[in-house]
Amino acid sequence: MSFPRATVRLQLHRGFDFDAAAACVDYYSQLGISHYYLSPIWAARPGSLHGYDVIDPTRINPELGGEEGLQRLVQALRGAGMGLVVDLVPNHLGIAAGANRYWDSVLAWGRRSPWAHWFDIDWEVDDPRLRGKLLWPVLGEPCDEALAAGHLTLRFDGGDLGLVLSYRDSLRLPLNAASQATLLARAPVFAGVAQALTAATPETAPPVYDELARLADGRQGRGAMERLLADGNARDLEGRQRLQALLARQHYRLSWWRNAAEEINWRRFFEVAELAGVRVELDEVFEATHVLLFNLYERGLIDGVRIDHIDGLAEPGAYARKLRQRLATLQAGRPAPLDAGPAWIVVEKILLPGEALPAAWETDGSTGYDFMDQVGALLHDGEGELALRALWAELTGDTRMLDDHVGAARLQLLEANFGGEFEGLVRALHACVMEAPLGGRDLSPNALRRVLRAVLVAFRRYRSYGPEDAGVAASALQAARAALAAPDHALLDEVACRLQLLPGDAGDENAAPGETQELALRHFRQLTPPLAAKSVEDTAFYRYGPLLSRNEVGSYPQEPAPGAAAFHEAMLRRVRDTPRAMLATATHDHKRGEDARARLAVLSEQPALWADTLRRWVAAHTPLCARLSRPGLDALEAPAPADRIMLYQTLVAAWPPGLESSDSEAVAAFAERVAAWQQKALREAKLHSSWMLPQPDYEDACRGYLMALLQGEASRDFLVQLSELLAVITPAARNNSLTQTLLRLTCPGVPDLYQGCELADFSLVDPDNRRPVDMAVRQAGLALPWPPTSGWQADTLLYGKQALIRRVLDVRRRYPAVFCGGDYLPLEVTGPAAGHVLAFARRAAEGMTITAVLRHAARLTNAANDAGWANTYIELPSAVQAARWPDVLSDQVHAADRRGLSAARVFLQSPVALLLPRSEANPGH
C-alpha cells in the first residue's frame, strides 16, 4: 500500500468515532476508495467537532476511541486492502478550557516552564503591564467587571495545579507556585507545603501538590482550606483587591477577549486566541510533537499525512523536507508489504493565480483547493460573468472589483484584528534596522508602521518563500510605493531589503540572516498568511458577490473564468510537477457544496435570465427591508443591497432537490440552515456586523427578511418563482455536477471524495457542510446501475453521481499506471459546438482512456442532431489505431472515423463519457 488510488475525507468526532468509521469500510471499499483520509486523530479539546484544536499530539483522541479504536479501524481497512491518511496539525495547539497541560505549565511557570519555548511568545514587549508576561484574553468582560461580579473565584484544584482561579465555574486559571505559597502560608497546616513551593521548580512541584492534596483531604486541612478560599474570594472590596493583587503576581495578564486583537504578544492561529502557534521549526519541538505520528507510521498504522496550514510555519519548506526525511528513515521498519513505497505527503496550501507549490518542499502536492478552482472556473462562462458583474454594480452601486475589496479588508484587519501581530512585526523590524552601524537612529516607529502597512495591504500572496517570489514582491512594493508619499520611499527600500523582498535578496530559507533580522522575517512571513486568508476568504468573499460560485476557498476571481485551453495548461503542469497531488471539489472548508456551485455556475450562461429574475425580486421585496437608525449616520437599509443579492443566490444554490414549498416543516428547517449561514456571512463581512461587535438590530432585520421570503406573506409568490427558475437551470446544473465529478476522477492526481458527496451536495459553509451523513441511503445506492437516460439533458437519478464514481474508480483500479503518472494529452475538438466540449486522453504503456465532458450545456438545445452538433468532432491522438471506443459509463460503443469521434453520439445519453479502446473496455461491474 503506497500512494492512494482515491481517498475519502471523513470528519471524526465523538459522535462519529473510529468504530463508526470502521463500520463504513465495506461500503467505501465497494465504492472503489483505497484510503481513508481522516480529520485530526490527536487528543483535542473535549467535545471538539473538528479536531483541529489539538491539546496533546502525543496521544490519540480518547473521544474517538483512543489507540485501541484506531487499531480496530486499521484492522478493518487492511482487511479490505485499504490504507489510512491522517491530518497533521503542526502549526498550533488548542489551549482553551485549561485542557492543555503544556500551556497550563506556561501559565503557571512563565519562562521557567519546560514548554515555554514551544510557543511563540514575546516576553519583552514595550507595554510594562506585559513585560515578562503573556496576555491571556479569555474573559467575557473586562477584568474589573469580572471581579466585581464575582465571576473570578479562588478554588482548590486538587490535582497537579494546586490552587487556581476559576472563571464562571468553567475555566481554571493556574496560579504560580510563589503566589500559592503566600496564600498557603496563612494556614499552619500548610506551612510545609508553602515553604516547599517557595523553592519549587516545574520538576519538583508535582509531589508538593500531591502533599497539598493529601493534607487538604484531612479533617484539619479541609477546614483550613475552606477558610483560606473564603478569605481569598471577592465577597467585598477588600476581597476583590486581594484577588487583583494575586492576579498581578502571575506570569500572565488576564484580559477581556476583545483586547487580544491589539495587545496579543504571542502567535495565534489566525485571530483565534484559543489556538496558540507552536515553534515546530525547533528540532526538539518537532521531535516531541511528532513522536506519535512517527510511531504510527513505523508500525504501519498510517500511510501518509496531510499537513494542515503549512503557511503558518516559520520555515514551511524546511519542515516539509524534515518530515519527508524522517518518514523515509522509518520506511524500512514498516511491516511488509507496507515498506515498499514512501509516505504520501500533501499540504493544505492556497495557490493564487500564477503560483506553484515549491518543488523544493519534496511533497506530493496540495490538498486540491487549486484544482477545485480550476474545474469550477471551467464550468463558468467568462462573458456571462462580466454581465453579472455589471448587474452587481447596477443593483448595489458598488463598482469596485474583488481586489479593491481585498485591499480594504486587509487595511481593516491590520487595524482591528491583527493589531498585536502587526505591532510585534513593527518592534522586530525596528530592532533590526536600529542594530545597523550608524543606521536607523532617527527612525520613527510611526513611519515604520506606515510603510509596513502599505506593504502588507499590497502583498497579495499568502507568503514569500524564496527568489521565485521576487516578481510578486516587486508588484507589492510598486503598489506600496504608489500609496506612500515620496519621503517614505527610502524607508520602503530599507524595509524591502530587511524583509528580503528585493530582487537578489528574496527570502532564501537556506540563508542565515542575523538574529534580529530572522525574527523580523518570521513575524512578516507568519503575518501574511492569516492576513491573506481572512481578507479574501473570510471578508471580501462576503462583501463582493456577483456570482458566489466563484467565491470559493482556493479561488481569487479577479478575472473572469478562463476557458478550456487554460484548463488543459493547468493539467499539463499538474502531470509534470505534482502528478500525485490531491484532487478535490468539496472539502470541510468549502463555502458552498460542489452541486450548489454547479447550479450557480449556470447563471453565468444565462445572465439575462438571472438579471430579469433578480431585478424582479429586488423590486418586489424592497418593502420587506427595515430602516435602521445609527447615530451620526444616514438610515441604513437592512438587508443592504449586497446582502440581499448574496442571500438570493444562496437560496438558489442550496435549495434541496425534492423540497416542496408546501412542506412547511422542511422549509422551516431549510430556513434555519440559511439563517445560520446568513449570520456568519454578515459577521465575516465586517460591514454591518462582526464577530467582535455583533449588531443584533441589523442581524434581526436580515433574518426577518429571510423568513418573510420563505415563510411569510412574500413566500407565496417567491417560492413559485424560485421553483420555476430551478426547473430551468437544473438540467444544466446536473450536467455540471457530472462533469466536475468525472474530471476529478480522471485528471492527473488522487481524487478525494468529501464525506457524503457521492450524492447531491448542496451544503453551505461550516458547520453546515459537516452535518451527519446518512450512510444507509448511500449503501442502498450500490445496488443500482448507472441510470438509463434518453438524452444528454435528461434527468439523472438520485444515485447518478455515486454510480459514476464507482465505475470510474473501478477503471482506475484496473489501470493504475494510466492515472497515476500517465501522460495527459489534450484532445482538439472541432466544429460549431467545440466550445461546449472538453476532452483529453490519459496514456501509459498499459493502456489509454479518453475523458469527454460537456460544458455550458444551458446554451445548447435538447436535440442531439441539432446543427450545432452535426459537425463537432473529438480528434484522436495520431498514434491511436482503435476504431471502436466503448463508453464504460453507458452501453454505447462509438465508432471513430478520420475526423475522430462524433460529439453528437458521445453525448447522446450522458454529458460525460469515459472511453477505452475496444480491447481494453470492460464496462460492467
Side-chain angles (χ1 to χ4, degrees):
M1 183 67 58
S2 55
F3 295 106
R5 179 175 65 251
T7 59
V8 59
R9 167 71 177 203
L10 298 180
Q11 295 292 119
L12 300 182
H13 48 81
R14 63 186 177 188
F16 187 82
D17 58 10
F18 291 134
D19 288 332
C24 301
V25 166
D26 182 63
Y27 165 76
Y28 285 116
S29 175
Q30 292 183 64
L31 193 62
I33 298 297
S34 70
H35 285 68
Y36 270 15
Y37 158 42
L38 301 181
S39 61
I41 64 173
W42 327 105
R45 177 184 56 81
S48 175
L49 295 178
H50 50 77
Y52 287 100
D53 42 8
V54 176
I55 60 173
D56 191 349
T58 68
R59 294 187 296 123
I60 301 297
N61 195 339
E63 292 189 345
L64 303 182
E67 187 161 335
E68 291 183 357
L70 175 63
Q71 289 176 336
R72 290 192 297 270
L73 171 59
V74 173
Q75 184 178 10
L77 288 168
R78 298 304 186 202
M82 297 170 66
L84 182 62
V85 176
V86 295
D87 206 333
L88 185 59
V89 190
N91 174 70
H92 56 266
L93 288 176
I95 56 174
N100 186 313
R101 63 188 178 99
Y102 309 105
W103 186 256
D104 278 353
S105 173
V106 177
L107 294 176
W109 296 96
R111 293 183 180 184
R112 296 172 63 196
S113 167
W115 292 295
H117 65 292
W118 279 31
F119 302 98
D120 235 340
I121 303 169
D122 184 354
W123 298 99
E124 299 297 336
V125 298
D126 295 334
D127 187 343
R129 299 173 303 165
L130 279 175
R131 192 72 51 78
K133 299 174 180 283
L134 61 86
L135 187 76
W136 192 213
V138 293
L139 301 180
E141 66 266 278
C143 190
D144 55 349
E145 293 183 13
L147 284 167
H151 294 157
L152 284 164
T153 54
L154 190 63
R155 298 286 177 87
F156 177 56
D157 183 65
D160 56 359
L161 293 177
L163 293 170
V164 301
L165 278 176
S166 173
Y167 175 60
R168 292 180 177 266
D169 296 323
S170 61
L171 177 63
R172 64 177 188 172
L173 306 167
L175 299 176
N176 63 46
S179 62
Q180 291 195 53
T182 301
L183 292 170
L184 293 168
R186 298 173 185 170
V189 68
F190 300 132
V193 170
Q195 184 177 3
L197 284 178
T198 301
T201 67
E203 293 73 27
T204 63
V208 180
Y209 288 130
D210 290 341
E211 174 64 9
L212 176 60
R214 187 188 69 79
L215 292 172
D217 195 43
R219 185 177 60 183
Q220 185 180 5
R222 190 178 305 117
M225 182 62 74
E226 289 174 356
R227 289 189 295 273
L228 189 152
L229 295 179
D231 290 343
N233 283 325
R235 294 177 303 174
D236 50 29
L237 178 60
E238 185 178 350
R240 290 196 294 274
Q241 289 174 338
R242 284 197 297 267
L243 282 182
Q244 210 164 29
L246 178 65
L247 281 171
R249 296 195 296 271
Q250 302 311 309
H251 296 295
Y252 53 86
R253 184 167 74 82
L254 198 59
S255 179
W256 190 17
W257 67 269
R258 288 183 179 174
N259 293 336
E262 294 183 350
E263 298 183 339
I264 199 82
N265 64 330
W266 46 273
R267 184 168 61 87
R268 306 170 287 175
F269 171 74
F270 286 16
E271 53 184 338
V272 183
E274 295 180 346
L275 301 174
V278 176
R279 297 199 63 195
V280 75
E281 68 271 16
L282 303 178
D283 289 340
E284 177 194 341
V285 179
F286 175 85
E287 293 296 334
T289 55
H290 289 65
V291 62
L292 179 57
L293 172 81
F294 296 148
N295 176 268
L296 297 178
Y297 181 71
E298 187 172 25
R299 291 162 56 195
L301 296 181
I302 63 174
D303 304 293
V305 295
R306 176 244 199 211
I307 303 173
D308 178 65
H309 190 49
I310 195 168
D311 276 336
L313 307 183
E315 301 169 355
Y319 170 83
R321 290 189 294 271
K322 185 188 296 186
L323 182 64
R324 170 69 74 190
Q325 291 162 6
R326 289 288 282 111
L327 293 178
T329 62
L330 300 173
Q331 188 69 40
R334 283 165 61 80
L338 300 179
D339 58 348
W344 188 56
I345 301 176
V346 290
V347 297
E348 185 213 23
K349 166 67 180 157
I350 302 297
L351 296 168
L352 295 186
E355 185 178 10
L357 200 65
W361 287 9
E362 299 181 13
T363 68
D364 291 296
S366 76
T367 53
Y369 296 142
D370 49 341
F371 179 78
M372 188 157 63
D373 175 51
Q374 291 157 358
V375 73
L378 184 73
L379 302 181
H380 288 77
D381 183 289
E383 292 185 6
E385 274 194 73
L386 291 175
L388 295 183
R389 292 183 184 190
L391 177 66
W392 171 269
E394 170 197 330
L395 296 178
T396 66
D398 184 359
T399 60
R400 293 172 295 172
M401 300 294 290
L402 173 66
D403 206 55
D404 300 317
H405 286 278
V406 171
R410 280 176 166 263
L411 183 59
Q412 179 179 342
L413 288 162
L414 278 174
E415 295 175 347
N417 298 69
F418 293 111
E421 288 84 353
F422 181 58
E423 286 303 312
L425 171 58
V426 171
R427 287 193 300 272
L429 191 56
H430 187 264
C432 177
V433 175
M434 290 294 287
E435 76 172 3
L438 303 179
R441 301 302 170 189
D442 294 326
L443 173 61
S444 162
N446 283 335
L448 191 55
R449 287 186 188 92
R450 189 166 57 247
V451 170
L452 273 173
R453 188 179 293 112
V455 172
L456 288 165
V457 167
F459 195 89
R460 289 296 186 264
R461 287 276 178 90
Y462 271 58
R463 62 179 288 165
S464 174
Y465 303 103
E468 65 271 20
D469 291 329
V472 176
S475 297
L477 293 174
Q478 182 179 3
R481 190 177 302 275
L484 292 167
D488 285 331
H489 291 176
L491 180 55
L492 175 63
D493 293 336
E494 177 74 11
V495 167
C497 179
R498 298 291 177 175
L499 296 180
Q500 298 185 343
L501 297 176
L502 293 173
D505 291 316
D508 182 356
E509 290 183 358
N510 296 317
E515 184 176 346
T516 55
Q517 185 181 8
E518 177 59 43
L519 181 61
L521 283 169
R522 194 168 80 231
H523 274 285
F524 179 74
R525 291 172 178 171
Q526 290 183 303
L527 175 55
T528 57
L531 186 59
K534 297 299 293 184
S535 63
V536 179
E537 301 165 25
D538 295 340
T539 305
F541 277 179
Y542 292 98
R543 295 180 178 182
Y544 178 73
L547 191 55
L548 292 182
S549 46
R550 292 282 278 136
N551 288 11
E552 192 50 76
V553 177
S555 300
Y556 198 94
Q558 173 72 7
E559 302 298 329
F567 183 83
H568 283 314
E569 290 174 6
M571 294 308 106
L572 288 170
R573 289 193 299 271
R574 184 177 293 275
V575 79
R576 180 192 67 207
D577 299 333
T578 55
R580 294 188 176 111
M582 185 176 279
L583 305 173
T585 51
T587 77
H588 60 288
D589 284 330
H590 66 231
K591 304 295 184 187
R592 274 155 288 277
E594 60 185 26
D595 295 299
R597 297 194 308 274
R599 184 186 279 173
L600 281 182
V602 180
L603 301 183
S604 71
E605 301 177 58
Q606 298 183 310
L609 170 65
W610 178 238
D612 291 344
T613 302
L614 194 55
R615 290 190 185 104
R616 182 168 71 249
W617 285 347
V618 167
H621 303 146
T622 294
L624 300 177
C625 294
R627 304 288 291 181
L628 305 179
S629 299
R630 296 285 170 87
L633 299 175
D634 294 335
L636 175 65
E637 184 181 66
D643 293 331
R644 295 170 67 185
I645 294 173
M646 287 190 275
L647 173 61
Y648 288 129
Q649 290 183 65
T650 299
L651 294 174
V652 171
W655 186 267
L659 175 58
E660 298 292 339
S661 59
S662 58
D663 187 342
S664 58
E665 184 176 342
V667 171
F670 174 67
E672 289 302 325
R673 284 179 54 210
V674 177
W677 163 85
Q678 183 183 57
Q679 183 186 68
K680 182 170 184 173
L682 297 175
R683 294 184 179 184
E684 295 285 21
K686 307 171 189 66
L687 291 175
H688 307 301
S689 190
S690 69
W691 295 109
M692 189 171 292
L693 290 172
Q695 300 297 312
D697 59 344
Y698 188 82
E699 292 182 6
D700 290 346
C702 291
R703 178 182 172 88
Y705 187 88
L706 165 64
M707 295 305 169
L709 293 180
L710 295 185
Q711 297 177 288
E713 184 72 21
S715 66
R716 193 180 326 170
D717 293 332
F718 174 70
L719 291 179
V720 170
Q721 294 163 9
L722 176 61
S723 178
E724 292 172 347
L725 175 67
L726 290 173
V728 172
I729 67 176
T730 288
R734 287 176 172 155
N735 290 339
N736 282 345
S737 174
L738 295 178
T739 288
Q740 72 178 348
T741 300
L742 183 58
L743 291 176
R744 170 166 53 86
L745 296 170
T746 58
C747 282
V750 176
D752 175 58
L753 170 68
Y754 182 62
Q755 60 177 27
C757 290
E758 63 270 40
L759 302 189
D761 172 27
F762 293 94
S763 61
L764 297 169
V765 71
D766 66 278
D768 191 71
N769 61 11
R770 303 177 188 181
R771 288 174 296 154
V773 175
D774 189 337
M775 294 305 300
V777 171
R778 284 153 181 80
Q779 183 70 44
L782 294 181
L784 300 177
W786 173 254
T789 56
S790 58
W792 57 258
Q793 277 192 330
D795 195 4
T796 58
L797 300 180
L798 172 66
Y799 294 100
K801 197 163 61 164
Q802 182 191 50
L804 169 63
I805 292 170
R806 190 181 183 196
R807 289 201 165 199
V808 179
L809 290 184
D810 181 60
V811 175
R812 288 186 69 103
R813 177 188 58 80
R814 289 157 45 203
Y815 300 102
V818 171
F819 296 98
C820 185
D823 294 337
Y824 178 94
L825 305 176
L827 299 182
E828 186 173 352
V829 183
T830 61
H836 294 276
V837 178
L838 181 128
F840 58 85
R842 301 299 310 280
R843 182 179 62 186
E846 67 175 6
M848 171 184 286
T849 64
I850 288 179
T851 295
V853 296
L854 188 67
R855 57 191 294 260
H856 300 170
R859 298 208 317 258
L860 291 171
T861 66
N862 288 323
N865 61 351
D866 181 77
W869 282 118
N871 294 301
T872 300
Y873 282 83
I874 302 169
E875 294 187 0
L876 298 175
S878 58
V880 174
Q881 302 297 320
R884 298 178 67 77
W885 292 80
D887 181 359
V888 299
L889 306 180
S890 71
D891 297 327
Q892 299 297 300
V893 179
H894 303 294
D897 60 25
R898 59 180 178 79
R899 294 171 294 181
L901 294 165
S902 167
R905 293 183 179 278
V906 168
F907 297 118
L908 181 63
Q909 292 191 355
S910 171
V912 294
L914 182 61
L915 312 176
L916 279 72
R918 166 59 90 180
S919 60
E920 298 173 1
N922 181 11
H925 257 297

